[in-house]
C-alpha cells in the first residue's frame, strides 16, 4: 500500500542488505536504477522492503520482478578457503581428462544446495557444487575441474 514490496532472499541470515544502504534494481530489459533502503523486514516466510521514492502501490507495481543488486564492497569478507558463488560465474569447466565442458553461466540455489549451470554451444548442464563433483577450483586461472559421473551431462 505504501510502496512496500515483498522480496525473495537467498540468504535470510545475510547482513549485507541493510537500512540506508544504496542498492540497484535491474529491470527485465537490463536497465539499472539506484534506490536507498528505507524499511526492511526480513523473515523466512515473507520479507518486505521499502525503497525511498517508491511511495505508493503503483510505483511498487512498476518494480515488480526486478532483481536487487548490492555493491561488492557491502559484502562481508570471506576467509581464505571460502568464496561467494557469484565469483565463479564465467569460470571454464573441465573434466579430469582436461576436456572442456563449458562455462558457468549461473548458480541455482535450491534449498541448501548450489547447482552450477554450465553452458556450451547452446546446451546447459547442471552440476551440483559439491565436493563429490568439484575436484579443483583454480581462481587464478578461472577454471574448475569436475568429476562427472555417467549420465550427469547427458
Amino acid at each position: 500500500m505504501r510502496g512496500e514490496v515483498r522480496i525473495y532472499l537467498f540468504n535470510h541470515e545475510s547482513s549485507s542488505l541493510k537500512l540506508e544502504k544504496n542498492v540497484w534494481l535491474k529491470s527485465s530489459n537490463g536497465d539499472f536504477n539506484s534506490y536507498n533502503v528505507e524499511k526492511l523486514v526480513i523473515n523466512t516466510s515473507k520479507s518486505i522492503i521499502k525503497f525511498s521514492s517508491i511511495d505508493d502501490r503503483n510505483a511498487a507495481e512498476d518494480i515488480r520482478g526486478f532483481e536487487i543488486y548490492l555493491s561488492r564492497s557491502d559484502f562481508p569478507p570471506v576467509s581464505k578457503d571460502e568464496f561467494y558463488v557469484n565469483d565463479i560465474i564465467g569460470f571454464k569447466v573441465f573434466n579430469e581428462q582436461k576436456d572442456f565442458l563449458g562455462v558457468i553461466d549461473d548458480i541455482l540455489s535450491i534449498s541448501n544446495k548450489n547447482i552450477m549451470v554450465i553452458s556450451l554451444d547452446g546446451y546447459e548442464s547442471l552440476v551440483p557444487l559439491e565436493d563429490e563433483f568439484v575436484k579443483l577450483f583454480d581462481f587464478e586461472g578461472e577454471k574448475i575441474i569436475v568429476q562427472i559421473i555417467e549420465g550427469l551431462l547427458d
Side-chain angles (χ1 to χ4, degrees), residues 27-107:
S27 67
S28 58
N29 66 4
D31 291 338
F32 282 91
N33 291 304
S34 177
Y35 293 91
N36 196 31
V37 177
E38 191 174 288
K39 178 181 178 181
L40 183 63
V41 178
I42 296 177
N43 65 50
T44 55
S45 62
K46 181 172 74 169
S47 296
I48 304 289
I49 195 166
K50 163 83 175 71
F51 299 109
S52 58
S53 75
I54 305 289
D55 295 320
D56 60 36
R57 182 181 197 139
N58 292 334
E61 283 290 326
D62 289 343
I63 61 169
R64 179 181 224 147
F66 281 34
E67 294 178 357
I68 300 172
Y69 286 81
L70 302 172
S71 172
R72 181 61 184 239
S73 63
D74 290 333
F75 289 15
V78 294
S79 67
K80 91 175 188 183
D81 60 338
E82 295 179 321
F83 63 92
Y84 286 106
V85 293
N86 65 322
D87 290 342
I88 63 172
I89 293 175
F91 276 31
K92 294 177 182 164
V93 181
F94 299 86
N95 64 16
E96 292 176 301
Q97 292 74 38
K98 299 191 174 38
D99 298 321
F100 180 64
L101 302 176
V103 175
I104 299 176
D105 273 347
D106 199 1
I107 304 293

